[in-house]
Amino acid sequence: SQQGEEDPQALSIQEGENATMNCSYKTSINNLQWYRQNSGRGLVHLILIRSNEREKHSGRLRVTLDTSKKSSSLLITASRAADTASYFCATDFRTNSKLTFGKGITLSVRP
Amino acid sequence: AAGVIQSPRHLIKEKRETATLKCYPIPRHDTVYWYQQGPGQDPQFLISFYEKMQSDKGSIPDRFSAQQFSDYHSELNMSSLELGDSALYFCASSLVRGLAGGGNEQFFGPGTRLTVL
């Protein structure tokens, strides 16, 4: 069964705007990670947030985690055309377990 | 910094043929994972190895097998290929040893695009 479900499925914004993508999951998790994938290419690790953390920052990225609602959000501030990609959230239930991916959000940043 | 290496990057096979995909994890990483991503789909976990032993198994067909070698590289062997096996196959690696209740950043290779004709 699908674990992470991203919301919205597609997002189109103007360069310089902020982009917010949401992810929900169904079962208890150990960590939640966000990945970026340019069309047909590899998955780039963006950020990991642990189940006991509520917010984490990395450069222009801000991730929040609400375990009571089983949801996470990824905020990209001051977006750039180069941020155009698909974004996936992925969860695991223990340290060396598999990742369960959601469906992905397609972000288009217009120059 | 060294990344995960996968070979080949592209592979074209006929139905019923076999294919072998290779993965070289980041040095000193002890865990390797294989994922399959169909067109327009999210990645699906196939199998993983920790310290050369199979640690978890997902929706991997019986026609597929994998192993991790003494140098930590891993190979995914696929036999009796079907059209539906056409996908991107990713290998990821992580360092698990020594972590306590956290971590598990999985770093992905560029993938092997398999096309079955």
Side-chain angles (χ1 to χ4, degrees), chain A residues 30-31 33 35 37 40-43 45 48 50 88 92 94-99 101-103, chain B residues 33 35 37 41-43 45 55-56 88 90 96 99 101-106 108-110 113:
Chain A
N30 187 36
N31 303 292
Q33 305 183 52
Y35 288 85
Q37 184 178 37
R41 305 188 70 173
L43 290 152
H45 184 269
L48 177 148
R50 300 182 182 185
F88 293 88
D92 66 56
R94 67 167 189 271
T95 298
N96 68 338
S97 74
K98 65 180 183 182
L99 293 180
F101 284 82
K103 285 297 180 193
Chain B
Y33 312 79
Y35 294 86
Q37 185 180 29
Q41 302 295 312
D42 55 293
F45 171 74
S55 54
D56 202 356
L88 264 173
F90 290 108
V96 171
L99 294 177
N104 197 32
E105 286 97 336
Q106 293 186 21
F108 283 73
R113 182 172 295 281

Side-chain angles (χ1 to χ4, degrees), chain B residues 67-82:
Chain B
Q67 56 182 322
Q68 187 178 28
F69 295 85
S70 58
D71 64 351
Y72 289 90
H73 94 272
S74 178
E75 294 183 3
L76 177 66
N77 299 293
M78 311 159 72
S79 62
S80 303
L81 287 169
E82 302 174 356

Side-chain angles (χ1 to χ4, degrees), chain B residues 3-110:
Chain B
V4 176
I5 298 171
Q6 291 188 246
S7 67
R9 294 292 306 277
H10 301 272
L11 192 57
I12 299 175
K13 291 285 185 178
E14 300 276 342
K15 279 194 307 185
R16 291 179 289 277
E17 284 191 323
T18 61
T20 297
L21 310 185
K22 296 186 179 182
C23 168
Y24 297 85
I26 292 171
R28 293 184 296 283
H29 277 196
D30 51 22
T31 307
V32 166
Y33 312 79
W34 285 96
Y35 294 86
Q36 176 193 59
Q37 185 180 29
Q41 302 295 312
D42 55 293
Q44 294 288 323
F45 171 74
L46 294 177
I47 195 167
S48 63
F49 295 86
Y50 169 66
E51 286 291 345
K52 294 157 276 185
M53 298 290 290
Q54 182 181 308
S55 54
D56 202 356
K57 198 171 183 179
S59 50
I60 182 170
D62 292 339
R63 300 177 288 108
F64 294 6
S65 65
Q67 56 182 322
Q68 187 178 28
F69 295 85
S70 58
D71 64 351
Y72 289 90
H73 94 272
S74 178
E75 294 183 3
L76 177 66
N77 299 293
M78 311 159 72
S79 62
S80 303
L81 287 169
E82 302 174 356
L83 296 178
D85 295 329
S86 294
L88 264 173
Y89 289 83
F90 290 108
C91 171
S93 73
S94 68
L95 176 61
V96 171
R97 191 185 320 116
L99 294 177
N104 197 32
E105 286 97 336
Q106 293 186 21
F107 296 94
F108 283 73

Side-chain angles (χ1 to χ4, degrees), chain A residues 6-13 20-21 85-86 104-108:
Chain A
E6 282 87 351
D7 166 32
Q9 296 300 305
L11 183 61
S12 181
I13 59 174
T20 299
M21 291 165 274
S86 292
I105 301 168
T106 300
L107 174 66
S108 298

